[in-house]
Amino acid sequence: MTQERRGSTSPVRVAIVGFGVIGKRVAEAVQLQPDMELVGVADIFADWRLAEVARRDIPFFAATAEAVPAIEEAGGAVQGTLDDLLPQVDVVVDCTPKGVGAKNATRYRQVGVKFLVQGGEKHEVAGHSFVAEVNYRDAVGRDATRVVSCNTTSIVRTLHSLKTAELLARARGTLLRRATDPWESHLGGIMNTLVPEPEIPSHQAPDACTVIPDLDVVTMAVKVPETLAHVHFWVAELTREADRAEVLAAFRRSSRTVAVRADQGLGAVNAVKELMLDLGRPHGDLYEVALWEDLVAVQGREVYYAYMVDNQAIVIPENLDAIRALSGVTADPDESIRMTNESLGVGRIR
Amino acid sequence: MTQERRGSTSPVRVAIVGFGVIGKRVAEAVQLQPDMELVGVADIFADWRLAEVARRDIPFFAATAEAVPAIEEAGGAVQGTLDDLLPQVDVVVDCTPKGVGAKNATRYRQVGVKFLVQGGEKHEVAGHSFVAEVNYRDAVGRDATRVVSCNTTSIVRTLHSLKTAELLARARGTLLRRATDPWESHLGGIMNTLVPEPEIPSHQAPDACTVIPDLDVVTMAVKVPETLAHVHFWVAELTREADRAEVLAAFRRSSRTVAVRADQGLGAVNAVKELMLDLGRPHGDLYEVALWEDLVAVQGREVYYAYMVDNQAIVIPENLDAIRALSGVTADPDESIRMTNESLGVGRIR
């Protein structure tokens, strides 16, 4: 049985399972929230990342009992195993690789702890898929939700903006997916090619419909040889004629979409990442959809636009809001989104 | 005054100005045509390429008088300058870098020699833009034409196929442009980024309309960090519902579009290039639009598809046909296209 929260003044107790690209960012972000306590992270590695965990003063738990000897041999201070960690928390954030979260979900349910999985898992694993600006309220008090993938998050944010402005009839997108994450790009070798995903349409559009069921959206995707970010190109058909200003205003409805200008030197993903680093954001993370404002073009009832998605970062604010929703610490999406945005600097790029 | 062709039995006398990525391929292809004679090439380089010209038994002319000493010092056998070459030929194929062709055009007109420029030049330079399957007949006997760019050629071929089958209502495409040509990729450094073209819509769609004026087409383009080929993703709205088989049959109307299958190991541009090399094609050239047949998807009145464009090779057959059209050696597009295709192996990928 899920343990109920003990009152609105005590912080939400959070565990993170899987301390990889997403897990370490969620950990860092949870530590910034006044209404959350990071009780511990669980993983199985026995390498340089142990020092990283220690440096951040995060209690470390072995995700499996078998992993304990190697972790201790590598100098890691093991606080126990996942079995010890789970009863201590209100919400588990599962950030394990695709497929592992589905297996873990069964365990979380057995223990009776609320959990959220990442977008690599199927919708059915949690029975609910989450993007804060769209369906925070649906997730309040639920046992589980799924923070959708980076690409899907960006699609949902932007199309929700157009839809809320009653402008969206349908949208067709081409998604350029970065080949690999920077931290493991030494494993892939130099890739001098383009690799279309093996099926058209690609899975991201149906995935967006797990959050907004009635979208008319189709996507195609292709793997490209760079590591910094995804870029999406869209053709959206509007419900009526609208000018550029109205379309830009619609996109601005999301506090997690920011406008950048190609004609001011930010016309490539490396330049936008450089700005994030200059801003002092951890890891140079871009939490927002970065929409190239000056490229947005309207012709008749169609709008054409392109934006950038930092696949390591865009879901981090969503994870924080999902923790709040599941725990029920606040039922108000705006309150959670505001707290998250302020703590991470979301929307502040100047 | 343009010198008239002396009868259908004598070969068309051809000069090539600019022996770069396109020029050297056109030279090689002209040498394969029974109805053409390569009188000479003109350029200004004084390096390893001189030996390349000599190895191919091509008479070499200095494009400018100033270039002669350096060429001779580098061991090049100079047959004269461009002034000496032009009066000897029926058609000049200008393959110089963007902008140079426009300047040269004035000179060709003064000398009275027919000429064709490449797609880097504006339509107005020649007053006519050419894709063999669409408007060969319009070019017959003209003084000049422009072989449109690689991207535009592929757009015109594929949309012309859908249009001729009376299936095309409109098309919206996202174009992934390779960053640079392989031979000069040492100049660019490693590029770990994506660079949207600075304007949406991009110029390729209006350019396609210089060949097929009444297309409803919009393109967006982005530079990607690889050197092998462009890839285009399209959403086309059809005039009526049609099944996959009918759409594939429409694409097959072009003898210069070939079907490849991602599910048979050809799901990336490097794999398709490997096949071209295995086939023994010069430079591993892909003259065709390579359409990923198994990715073509039809939903309602929309078709989604992706294909690959070898930007060094796709215009080569078009150059040969443009030479025949301008010279008037045959007024029959089918005859020219058949001769070109047979000589280069266009369409034979098995």
Side-chain angles (χ1 to χ4, degrees):
Chain A
M1 240 197 67
T2 302
Q3 189 172 345
E4 292 305 317
R5 293 260 309 124
R6 294 143 302 164
S8 61
T9 51
S10 59
V12 187
R13 298 167 305 169
V14 178
I16 292 167
V17 178
F19 191 76
V21 166
I22 299 299
K24 70 180 176 188
R25 286 175 167 80
V26 174
E28 193 168 47
V30 164
Q31 289 180 309
L32 293 173
Q33 308 309 308
D35 58 346
M36 296 183 195
E37 177 196 350
L38 181 58
V39 178
V41 303
D43 208 317
I44 55 169
F45 51 70
D47 58 18
W48 65 278
R49 290 169 288 183
L50 289 170
E52 187 71 7
V53 172
R55 193 177 60 73
R56 297 170 190 231
D57 294 320
I58 303 173
F60 189 72
F61 293 75
T64 65
E66 296 73 32
V68 175
I71 295 169
E72 289 186 332
E73 201 177 324
V78 181
Q79 307 297 318
T81 66
L82 190 53
D83 286 335
D84 304 311
L85 176 61
L86 293 183
Q88 302 181 41
V89 301
D90 304 307
V91 179
V92 180
V93 182
D94 190 292
C95 302
T96 57
K98 188 175 178 170
V100 179
K103 287 178 198 155
N104 289 347
T106 309
R107 189 165 171 189
Y108 304 145
R109 290 191 193 277
Q110 282 166 353
V111 175
V113 62
K114 291 171 186 273
F115 67 93
L116 60 95
V117 292
Q118 305 301 316
E121 304 306 327
K122 290 196 166 66
H123 172 77
E124 292 68 33
V125 170
H128 185 262
S129 292
F130 182 89
V131 172
E133 291 172 329
V134 179
N135 63 355
Y136 181 101
R137 281 199 173 86
D138 291 350
V140 172
R142 290 184 65 97
D143 287 342
T145 191
R146 177 183 73 124
V147 172
V148 295
S149 74
C150 48
N151 282 312
T152 303
T153 298
S154 71
I155 295 169
V156 170
R157 279 189 199 164
T158 49
L159 296 187
H160 180 64
S161 293
L162 293 178
K163 190 167 181 286
T164 310
E166 297 183 349
L167 282 174
L168 182 66
R170 58 180 180 168
R172 304 290 181 258
T174 299
L175 284 45
L176 281 66
R177 294 179 45 231
R178 75 198 229 170
T180 184
D181 282 337
W183 83 276
E184 57 187 358
S185 64
H186 59 298
L187 304 175
I190 292 173
M191 193 183 105
N192 184 25
T193 191
L194 299 172
V195 192
E197 283 195 10
E199 210 167 337
I200 290 178
S202 58
H203 71 277
Q204 292 88 357
D207 200 37
C209 295
T210 64
V211 184
I212 311 176
D214 57 342
L215 287 179
D216 182 349
V217 57
V218 174
T219 50
M220 299 182 273
V222 53
K223 195 159 79 167
V224 296
E226 50 85 38
T227 64
L228 295 180
H230 306 314
V231 170
H232 295 188
F233 287 82
W234 287 91
V235 177
E237 193 173 297
L238 304 178
T239 51
R240 58 178 171 79
E241 296 212 357
D243 62 15
R244 263 188 101 246
E246 192 174 357
V247 170
L248 290 174
F251 282 125
R252 266 185 234 115
R253 284 170 173 258
S254 168
S255 65
R256 293 177 176 169
T257 297
V258 292
V260 293
R261 294 194 64 95
D263 63 9
Q264 292 191 358
L266 295 173
V269 298
N270 62 311
V272 177
K273 280 294 274 187
E274 188 73 9
L275 171 60
M276 296 303 117
L277 286 159
D278 287 353
L279 288 170
R281 290 198 179 179
H283 317 283
D285 282 347
L286 169 70
Y287 304 112
E288 302 90 344
V289 172
L291 177 77
W292 278 291
E293 183 183 42
D294 51 329
L295 300 190
V296 174
V298 178
Q299 287 184 357
R301 276 172 54 178
E302 285 184 332
V303 54
Y304 315 110
Y305 58 96
Y307 58 74
M308 162 179 168
V309 180
D310 184 343
N311 75 317
Q312 300 189 131
I314 189 172
V315 298
I316 306 307
E318 307 294 340
N319 270 270
L320 296 177
D321 295 326
I323 291 168
R324 287 203 187 86
L326 291 186
S327 74
V329 68
T330 175
D332 179 6
D334 294 339
E335 187 187 352
S336 178
I337 289 169
R338 184 185 49 74
M339 290 178 75
T340 297
N341 287 0
E342 283 184 7
S343 67
L344 299 178
V346 173
R348 289 202 302 273
I349 65 163
R350 271 174 200 96
Chain B
M1 236 197 66
T2 302
Q3 187 172 349
E4 291 304 316
R5 293 265 306 125
R6 292 142 303 162
S8 62
T9 50
S10 58
V12 186
R13 298 167 307 171
V14 178
I16 294 168
V17 177
F19 191 76
V21 167
I22 299 299
K24 72 180 174 186
R25 286 173 168 80
V26 174
E28 192 168 49
V30 164
Q31 289 181 309
L32 293 173
Q33 308 308 308
D35 58 346
M36 296 182 195
E37 178 195 349
L38 181 57
V39 178
V41 304
D43 208 317
I44 55 168
F45 52 69
D47 59 17
W48 64 278
R49 290 169 288 182
L50 289 170
E52 188 70 7
V53 172
R55 194 178 60 72
R56 297 170 189 231
D57 294 320
I58 303 173
F60 190 72
F61 294 75
T64 65
E66 296 72 32
V68 174
I71 295 169
E72 288 185 333
E73 201 178 323
V78 182
Q79 308 297 317
T81 67
L82 190 52
D83 286 334
D84 302 311
L85 177 60
L86 293 182
Q88 300 182 41
V89 302
D90 303 306
V91 179
V92 180
V93 182
D94 189 291
C95 302
T96 57
K98 188 175 178 170
V100 180
K103 288 178 199 156
N104 289 347
T106 310
R107 187 164 173 188
Y108 304 144
R109 290 193 193 277
Q110 282 166 350
V111 175
V113 62
K114 291 171 185 272
F115 67 93
L116 59 97
V117 292
Q118 305 301 315
E121 305 305 328
K122 289 195 165 67
H123 173 77
E124 292 68 33
V125 171
H128 184 262
S129 293
F130 182 89
V131 172
E133 291 172 330
V134 179
N135 63 355
Y136 182 101
R137 280 200 174 87
D138 290 350
V140 172
R142 289 184 66 95
D143 285 343
T145 191
R146 176 182 74 124
V147 172
V148 294
S149 74
C150 49
N151 282 311
T152 303
T153 298
S154 71
I155 294 169
V156 170
R157 278 188 199 165
T158 49
L159 295 187
H160 180 66
S161 293
L162 293 176
K163 190 166 182 283
T164 310
E166 296 181 351
L167 282 174
L168 182 67
R170 58 180 180 168
R172 303 291 180 259
T174 300
L175 283 44
L176 282 66
R177 293 179 43 233
R178 73 196 234 172
T180 184
D181 283 337
W183 84 276
E184 56 187 359
S185 63
H186 60 299
L187 304 177
I190 292 173
M191 190 181 107
N192 184 26
T193 191
L194 300 172
V195 191
E197 284 194 10
E199 208 167 342
I200 289 179
S202 59
H203 70 275
Q204 292 87 0
D207 199 38
C209 295
T210 63
V211 185
I212 310 177
D214 58 343
L215 287 179
D216 182 348
V217 58
V218 174
T219 51
M220 298 182 273
V222 53
K223 196 159 80 166
V224 297
E226 50 85 38
T227 64
L228 295 178
H230 306 314
V231 170
H232 295 188
F233 286 83
W234 286 90
V235 177
E237 193 173 297
L238 304 178
T239 51
R240 57 178 171 79
E241 296 213 358
D243 62 14
R244 263 188 102 248
E246 192 175 356
V247 170
L248 290 174
F251 283 126
R252 266 185 234 114
R253 283 170 175 259
S254 167
S255 66
R256 291 174 178 171
T257 297
V258 292
V260 293
R261 294 194 65 93
D263 64 7
Q264 292 191 357
L266 295 173
V269 299
N270 62 310
V272 176
K273 280 294 275 188
E274 187 74 9
L275 171 60
M276 295 303 118
L277 286 160
D278 288 352
L279 288 170
R281 289 195 180 180
H283 316 284
D285 281 346
L286 169 69
Y287 304 112
E288 302 89 344
V289 172
L291 177 77
W292 279 292
E293 182 182 45
D294 51 329
L295 300 189
V296 174
V298 178
Q299 287 184 359
R301 273 171 54 176
E302 285 185 333
V303 54
Y304 316 110
Y305 58 95
Y307 58 73
M308 162 180 168
V309 179
D310 184 343
N311 75 317
Q312 301 189 132
I314 189 173
V315 298
I316 306 307
E318 307 295 340
N319 271 272
L320 295 177
D321 294 327
I323 292 168
R324 286 202 187 88
L326 292 186
S327 73
V329 65
T330 174
D332 179 6
D334 294 340
E335 187 186 352
S336 178
I337 290 169
R338 183 185 50 73
M339 287 178 77
T340 297
N341 287 0
E342 283 185 8
S343 67
L344 299 179
V346 172
R348 290 201 304 272
I349 65 162
R350 274 174 195 95

